């Protein structure tokens, strides 16, 4: 069964389904190594981020194993009992992580700009508390996810738009889903946490200064850097 071109607008689950079919048909057998991410993207006619999302989904399902510095290997030609399926409703937990990050760059930059205009004193303190929680979690060598969520949700609450708040909350439902969790296992580490904390501080400083333009730029920079971290080469992905 030859690899078929996938339309660029198709979701990662459709890419994953084609790879599942290739594995179940014997094109890729248990123990064999899949083509590199770049090669798969070229053969499928899609972006590397879309391929990465598909591979993460297959790993969550127990069908492949990503060996950092070695490659991507077929572990099973059948899904585990707890596998995600293409028939699931499209809930935030099923959204592609890198696609979510791209959306966050657009939406949360404007949310931060609005927060710089509209934040009340109590709301500013909520944002500060979120950043402080991040710092405390990182100091305990924990993934500072709760503080991170509190920080971003605090900014959304301060922006003065309930629809944008709901949108950011849905982003975080996706962020806490299994695909994001697995991606974080590869690309989050103490060094990246400290970098992110510094980026969050720049956002907070701009909001406190009531500088909408600076807040927008700081949030864009942070989320673009986060997207870049999640898109790094598997070979350079730090071990946890």
């Amino acid at each position: 069964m030859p690899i078929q071109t996938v339309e660029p607008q198709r979701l990662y689950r459709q890419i994953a389904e084609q790879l599942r079919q290739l594995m179940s048909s014997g094109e890729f057998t248990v123990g064999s190594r899949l083509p590199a991410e770049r090669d798969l993207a070229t053969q499928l006619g899609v972006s590397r981020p879309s391929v990465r999302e598909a591979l993460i989904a297959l790993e969550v399902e127990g069908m492949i194993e990503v060996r950092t510095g070695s490659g991507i290997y077929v572990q099973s030609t059948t899904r585990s009992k707890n596998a995600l399926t293409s028939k699931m409703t499209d809930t935030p937990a099923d959204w592609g992580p890198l696609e979510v990050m791209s959306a966050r760059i657009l939406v949360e930059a404007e949310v931060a700009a609005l927060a710089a205009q509209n934040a009340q004193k109590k709301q500013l303190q909520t944002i500060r508390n979120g950043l402080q929680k991040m710092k405390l979690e990182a100091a305990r060598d924990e993934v500072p996810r709760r503080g991170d969520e509190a920080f971003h949700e605090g900014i959304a609450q301060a922006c003065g738009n309930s629809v944008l708040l709901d949108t950011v909350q849905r982003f975080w439902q996706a962020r806490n889903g299994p695909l994001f969790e697995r991606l974080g296992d590869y690309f989050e580490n103490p060094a990246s946490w400290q970098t992110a904390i510094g980026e969050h501080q720049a956002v907070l400083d701009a909001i406190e200064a009531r500088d909408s333009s600076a807040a927008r730029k700081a949030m864009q920079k942070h989320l673009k850097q986060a997207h870049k971290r999640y898109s790094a080469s598997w070979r350079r992905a730090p071990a946890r």
Side-chain angles (χ1 to χ4, degrees):
M1 177 182 175
I3 288 180
Q4 302 169 18
T5 300
V6 175
E7 293 297 325
Q9 69 269 26
R10 298 284 180 91
L11 296 174
Y12 74 93
R13 283 187 291 188
Q14 293 172 313
I15 301 170
E17 180 57 29
Q18 185 173 158
L19 293 175
R20 286 188 203 100
Q21 291 175 6
L22 290 166
M23 288 185 278
S24 63
S25 69
E27 188 78 18
F28 299 119
T29 58
V30 173
S32 65
R33 185 167 63 180
L34 293 179
E37 186 180 81
R38 179 186 289 109
D39 295 334
L40 282 172
T42 299
Q43 293 177 62
L44 292 164
V46 296
S47 68
R48 289 183 66 180
S50 295
V51 170
R52 176 159 299 184
E53 290 170 343
L55 293 173
I56 289 294
L58 292 173
E59 188 176 28
V60 169
E61 294 173 3
M63 295 191 71
I64 66 169
E65 178 184 5
V66 178
R67 301 176 190 172
T68 304
S70 176
I72 304 159
Y73 293 84
V74 178
Q75 187 165 295
S76 173
T77 56
T78 58
R79 308 182 208 186
S80 67
K81 292 182 179 180
N82 296 323
L84 299 171
T85 74
S86 58
K87 295 181 180 179
M88 292 176 67
T89 55
D90 194 24
T91 63
D94 305 320
W95 294 349
L98 294 171
E99 193 171 35
V100 170
M101 293 303 302
S102 295
R104 290 185 65 192
I105 292 168
L106 296 174
V107 174
E108 291 195 55
E110 295 308 314
V111 169
L114 287 170
Q117 296 174 9
N118 300 324
Q120 304 299 312
K121 288 184 178 180
K122 184 176 181 179
Q123 293 169 330
L124 287 172
Q125 188 57 52
T126 297
I127 300 169
R128 293 188 197 104
N129 291 345
L131 181 56
Q132 182 60 25
K133 188 174 185 65
M134 284 188 72
K135 293 176 179 178
L136 292 173
E137 288 173 324
R140 295 194 296 265
D141 199 30
E142 298 174 4
V143 179
R145 192 161 298 153
R146 287 174 295 177
D148 192 9
E149 181 174 0
F151 180 87
H152 285 275
E153 186 168 329
I155 293 173
Q157 289 171 341
C159 84
N161 186 301
S162 61
V163 175
L164 289 173
L165 171 59
D166 181 67
T167 300
V168 171
Q169 289 173 333
R170 284 171 67 81
F171 286 154
W172 277 91
Q173 291 174 36
R175 180 67 182 81
N176 293 322
L179 301 183
F180 245 121
E181 291 279 353
R182 192 69 190 103
L183 196 62
D185 287 341
Y186 286 109
F187 300 104
E188 291 180 359
N189 58 81
S192 73
W193 304 339
Q194 292 303 322
T195 299
I197 286 170
E199 293 164 1
H200 283 71
Q201 184 67 60
V203 175
L204 174 60
D205 291 345
I207 292 173
E208 290 184 318
R210 303 293 182 180
D211 189 333
S212 292
S213 178
R216 180 185 294 109
K217 291 177 181 177
M219 184 64 82
Q220 285 176 336
K221 180 179 179 180
H222 163 52
L223 293 173
K224 284 179 179 178
Q225 288 299 111
H227 188 284
K228 185 177 179 180
R229 287 190 283 271
Y230 283 128
S231 302
S233 169
W234 293 106
R235 293 183 180 277
R236 293 197 298 272
R240 290 293 302 277

